[in-house]
Amino acid sequence: MKVLIETERLLLREITLDDIEALYNLHSNPAVQKYTGEPVVKSREEIKKAIETRIIDYKKYGYGRWATILKKGNKFVGWSGLAYLPEFDEIDLGYRFLPEYWGLGIATEASRAILEYGFDSLKLKKIIAIAFKDNKASIRVMEKVGMEFDKFAPYEPNSEDAIWYWCNKELITKSRSY
């Protein structure tokens, strides 16, 4: 499988049907799903359908959520990447990792590389990220990679406000110069 992004510790590649078991282990974990607004996945069939949607997104948009592999040991640690949100006409940076890899800087490392790829290779103009207000770790990643607060607004109709961040190439470049 072709690697799209490589960092010091990580490889990011398209998700395939070979990833069903790894993604099932990720999305069936209540700790992982806690701040996502999504229920814990109950079956591998749900994962298979989600992967098929991701494959369509890769072809349709040229990007998507990517399997994130720790080079050391060639370990699947979760996913990270971009997703087009048609309901908002925005491109979203997102990530989800197995708990044993939390707090190691993986989300920050992956996110920096994804933003660079999005602006330099895909020529995107703006990327957003959305998190629940209680998801302090995710908000900290958004800030560390140079994104700025945009607004408090619901992600789903009639839901609690989430926190929205945004960035463009200039903002990311500026944040790296400090």
Side-chain angles (χ1 to χ4, degrees), residues 30 33 48 59 70 74 77 109 113 115-116 130 134 178:
Q33 297 296 91
K48 182 176 186 263
K59 292 177 179 144
L70 190 62
N74 196 35
V77 297
E109 184 175 331
L115 292 173
E116 183 179 312
I130 306 165
D134 292 343
Y178 292 115

Side-chain angles (χ1 to χ4, degrees), residues 63-141:
Y63 54 83
R65 306 295 199 198
W66 298 304
T68 304
I69 310 299
L70 190 62
K71 287 180 186 177
K72 185 177 182 178
N74 196 35
K75 296 282 294 175
F76 176 94
V77 297
W79 58 256
S80 54
L82 302 168
Y84 179 65
L85 305 178
E87 63 272 32
F88 302 112
D89 192 29
E90 298 281 9
I91 299 165
D92 173 64
L93 168 68
Y95 34 83
R96 214 167 283 177
F97 300 104
L98 292 163
E100 56 266 36
Y101 298 100
W102 294 355
L104 302 176
I106 289 172
T108 301
E109 184 175 331
S111 295
R112 282 191 174 122
I114 291 162
L115 292 173
E116 183 179 312
Y117 182 82
F119 294 127
D120 294 346
S121 299
L122 300 174
K123 305 299 182 201
L124 300 175
K125 301 293 180 220
K126 177 184 172 189
I127 297 173
I128 68 162
I130 306 165
F132 286 136
K133 292 182 213 173
D134 292 343
N135 192 346
K136 304 293 185 206
S138 196
I139 293 166
R140 182 69 187 118
V141 169

